[in-house]
Amino acid sequence: MPTVIRSNALVPSPGGTILFEGGPHGANVSFFLVDNEPGAGPALHVHPYPETWIVREGRARFTVDGEVIEAGAGDIVVVEAETPHRFKNIGEDRLEIICIHPSNRVIQRDLETERPEV
């Protein structure tokens, strides 16, 4: 039996990001639908599984284990498990990214309390 989660059932954060965790729906995948304003992005963190990003719109600067990578609309970025990473919207418009977590819930360990400039 399929499960349909209606768009109004997932409430965005104040920053515009929607979180879907698959566990309650029988799915072994979770994701963030990111919709960040210029300059916004998460603090440096790690996951016990790989993470895949699909940049849908805008430009992002990723810092992955100290390496800086820029990506734009249509690009896909993958990071291995336990690799410190973060991203920041470096464009003038909103950044739309899908952040895919191959887990029935998001497991994240933050590595800093404040995010330094990327």
Side-chain angles (χ1 to χ4, degrees), residues 42-107:
L44 190 68
H45 62 277
V46 296
H47 308 285
Y49 46 74
E51 183 173 5
T52 303
W53 298 281
I54 304 169
V55 181
R56 302 293 300 146
E57 195 170 313
R59 294 214 44 84
R61 178 177 299 128
F62 292 85
T63 302
V64 178
D65 204 19
E67 182 180 349
V68 175
I69 303 161
E70 291 192 10
D75 292 341
I76 297 170
V77 179
V78 180
V79 65
E80 295 178 6
E82 298 296 342
T83 303
H85 62 275
R86 65 177 172 237
F87 65 85
K88 178 180 177 179
N89 179 352
I90 59 170
E92 295 180 12
D93 297 314
R94 295 193 76 83
L95 173 65
E96 293 183 20
I97 295 182
I98 301 170
C99 308
I100 303 168
H101 297 245
S103 173
N104 65 2
R105 66 185 177 94
V106 173
I107 304 167

Side-chain angles (χ1 to χ4, degrees), residues 4-33:
V4 177
I5 297 95
R6 302 291 177 196
S7 61
N8 62 356
L10 301 173
V11 180
S13 71
T17 295
I18 292 172
L19 168 62
F20 170 82
E21 291 189 298
H25 309 286
N28 280 327
V29 66
S30 298
F31 58 84
F32 289 99
L33 298 176

